[in-house]
Amino acid sequence: MEAHPFATAPADSPALGSLPVEPLLTSEFDADPGGVYARLRRTYGPVAPVGLMGVPVWLVLDYREVLEVLRNESVWRRDVRYWRARAQRQLPLDWPLLAGYEVRQTMFMDDEEHLAARHTHHAAMRPFQDGHTPQGWELRATVARYADELIGMLAAESGTAGFADLSAQYTRPLLLMVTTKLFGCPVELGDELVMDLWRMLDGGPDAGPATGRALAAMTRLAAHRRARPGDDLTSYMLLADPELSDEQLGRELFMNAVYLNDITGNMVLNTLLEVLRGNATVRRSLSAGQLGETVNRAALVNPPVANMCFRFAARDVRLGNFWIRAGDVVSPSAAAAHQDLIAIGTSHMVGSAVSTRAHLGWGAGPHQCPSAARELGGMIVTTAVGRIFDHLAKAELTLPADQLPWRSGPVVRGLRVLPVRYELSGGVGRGVGGPRGETEAVGELAVSGGEGQMKGLLGALRRMMFGGR
């Protein structure tokens, strides 16, 4: 990248590579990330040098500095080619995070290339954005119907009172079903795609190969919809930009699938958790029927993306107490920024309906989620939360909130399970299966609305949820 005629870091300012850094991903971080962020802030100020799987990174902790990084695209770039350590081949060859950044898609583009890609996404999502269009109305009805059917499957398997994991038995299958519907996956891709996304999001030993297979499946989906257009996001993206190759479209679909399942799913689970653990402000919003505000309040306490995607300094720049050199990598921490925001505002900040919209769950600045995507994601989250609480007469955690197991990685902190003891309301039989039993309820979904491909998908979900019983 070309040099910029701006001030350079003073010679005596410490460079990232010269600083002793402590690893971020430790057992202490797994147990109490908020405590780690607070300690780093006390030691270094708004920006701290940390080690991320053996690579030094600037972690941005305070809300003001995080917003500066997210909003100032001229200084803080998303294109991985700005990363000096990568260009100079200083990264470990097997560094696990690099492969994701090498997949060139909208998230890792800048300037006109990025704007053009966002325009394609926005145009493709627009038919689904408005609940009054046929596509938007159908998608909203479908999300609610899928939620009801999953609750019906739960009732059929475990009864109207019992125990459930609202992650494995509700949230994750719901998001996978919505992905399959929205993307227009044909039956021959449905089961395969669901299973590989599941393995990929678990991050287990098969996550790498599963990621490759999922990316390949998305590429095949792009080719399928190019040959057989439908009323789905994949087809509308091709309509918005016919020049997209199958490989390019596959990468974009892959990115959307990851975010739709992992990020949106985390937002659902985090909202359910805040209600179940007794967060008073979240519960008040839910009781008042303010589902959007319920989600906002939960996202402020526990954002779905803990540490956001890397940015790379385009030039030497002062941030916090340090000079960041051109080509350095920074990781803006939404979780730490929210911690700072709440501390600044204390109780009135959490209690204000206006302030909760300051959460970074959807990002900020030029690279925040496109408005159509935010509206779609918000609709899915509020519907998932609203439908489950419509059907629950009672629910309580079966583990203390501080003993719930989390996936604490370099980007996402998400619940592994959300175990509850539940009682379904008396009306559940009329809406979600009830005495008809699971077979009839699932069969009804499989053929309703012309969605014959969902039968195989629901079979795969049933095997994953109930062990093939």
Side-chain angles (χ1 to χ4, degrees):
M1 299 299 173
E2 64 180 12
H4 297 271
F6 295 102
T8 57
D12 60 350
S13 62
L16 177 58
S18 70
L19 290 168
V21 297
E22 61 176 273
L24 179 66
L25 304 180
T26 63
S27 57
E28 179 190 6
F29 184 81
D30 286 343
D32 182 19
V36 173
Y37 295 139
R39 177 170 52 77
L40 289 170
R41 186 181 288 112
R42 288 193 302 269
T43 303
Y44 298 102
V47 180
V50 299
L52 199 56
M53 299 179 174
V55 172
V57 171
W58 295 109
L59 185 66
V60 189
L61 300 165
D62 281 11
Y63 190 79
R64 184 181 67 177
E65 283 74 13
V66 166
L67 279 185
E68 162 63 20
V69 171
L70 297 181
R71 289 175 172 172
N72 193 339
E73 187 180 27
S74 66
V75 175
W76 305 104
R77 312 297 275 170
R78 287 291 288 267
D79 193 325
V80 72
R81 290 175 294 183
Y82 277 87
W83 193 356
R84 187 180 62 256
R86 172 185 174 273
Q88 297 177 355
R89 301 184 184 278
Q90 296 173 350
L91 300 174
L93 293 177
D94 59 348
W95 197 59
L97 298 183
L98 184 58
Y101 283 88
E102 298 287 0
V103 178
R104 188 155 185 80
Q105 37 84 2
T106 299
M107 286 180 56
F108 304 141
M109 297 174 182
D110 290 313
D111 302 324
E112 295 304 318
E113 183 184 26
H114 173 239
L115 290 175
R118 282 177 69 91
H119 176 77
T120 298
H121 277 86
H122 189 80
M125 291 178 180
R126 189 179 297 128
F128 304 97
Q129 182 180 7
D130 185 352
H132 298 292
T133 64
Q135 298 91 344
W137 182 90
E138 182 186 2
L139 181 62
R140 283 154 176 77
T142 298
V143 175
R145 187 170 72 249
Y146 288 172
D148 288 348
E149 292 290 349
L150 286 168
I151 298 167
M153 290 174 68
L154 179 65
E157 292 287 339
S158 304
T160 56
F163 299 88
D165 173 8
L166 294 184
S167 173
Q169 292 175 264
Y170 180 69
T171 302
R172 292 177 67 178
L174 174 62
L175 269 297
L176 289 165
M177 292 162 72
V178 172
T179 300
T180 302
K181 166 66 176 176
L182 181 62
F183 286 18
C185 295
V187 65
E188 61 266 24
L189 283 180
D191 288 1
E192 173 190 355
L193 181 58
V194 166
M195 297 297 286
D196 277 333
L197 281 176
W198 195 283
R199 296 183 186 103
M200 178 185 66
L201 296 178
D202 271 348
D206 195 33
T211 300
R213 290 192 299 267
L215 187 56
M218 292 298 183
T219 303
R220 292 197 301 276
L221 172 60
H224 174 85
R225 283 304 171 201
R226 189 186 302 276
R228 302 175 184 82
D231 211 13
D232 50 70
L233 180 64
T234 308
S235 300
Y236 283 117
M237 288 191 71
L238 285 168
L239 186 63
D241 184 2
E243 299 301 315
L244 281 172
S245 69
D246 293 342
E247 291 74 19
Q248 289 172 315
L249 181 52
R251 291 194 294 269
E252 298 297 336
L253 292 172
F254 172 80
M255 180 268 292
N256 279 286
V258 171
Y259 268 69
L260 181 57
N261 284 273
D262 213 12
I263 309 310
T264 307
N266 281 342
M267 196 171 278
V268 173
L269 285 171
N270 292 351
T271 305
L272 296 177
L273 173 61
E274 291 305 313
V275 174
L276 293 170
R277 72 197 296 255
N279 184 311
T281 59
V282 174
R283 282 190 166 190
R284 279 199 298 270
S285 297
L286 182 65
S287 298
Q290 299 172 332
L291 286 173
E293 181 61 13
T294 302
V295 173
N296 285 342
R297 291 178 184 274
L300 184 61
V301 175
N302 194 359
V305 180
N307 299 314
M308 306 170 83
C309 287
F310 294 157
R311 264 68 169 180
F312 311 100
R315 59 178 173 86
D316 291 4
V317 61
R318 180 85 176 186
L319 189 68
N321 299 328
F322 295 95
W323 274 90
I324 313 299
R325 285 169 168 76
D328 278 0
V329 56
V330 301
S331 175
S333 175
H338 286 190
Q339 185 183 54
D340 178 47
L341 182 63
I342 293 171
I344 292 171
T346 62
S347 60
H348 81 272
M349 182 63 74
V350 180
S352 164
V354 174
S355 69
T356 59
R357 292 196 290 272
H359 76 76
L360 301 173
W362 304 114
H367 279 274
Q368 69 179 329
C369 291
S371 58
R374 292 198 304 273
E375 290 193 25
L376 284 177
M379 178 274 293
I380 293 168
V381 175
T382 54
T383 301
V385 171
R387 295 308 289 174
I388 191 72
F389 284 119
D390 279 349
H391 291 302
L392 290 176
K394 183 184 297 184
E396 59 183 8
L397 294 172
T398 59
L399 284 174
D402 60 0
Q403 294 182 22
L404 291 170
W406 292 82
R407 297 160 49 213
S408 292
V411 177
V412 170
R413 176 174 165 83
L415 283 168
R416 294 184 181 276
V417 298
L418 185 57
V420 299
R421 179 185 296 106
Y422 71 89
E423 292 181 15
L424 294 174
S425 62
V428 68
R430 295 191 296 273
V432 287
R436 295 177 302 163
E438 181 215 24
T439 302
E440 184 179 348
V442 172
E444 181 179 292
L445 175 59
V447 298
S448 64
E451 299 169 24
Q453 75 267 27
M454 297 307 295
K455 185 175 181 180
L457 171 60
L458 282 169
L461 289 170
R462 186 178 187 275
R463 290 192 296 275
M464 287 186 283
M465 289 165 62
F466 303 113
R469 295 199 304 271

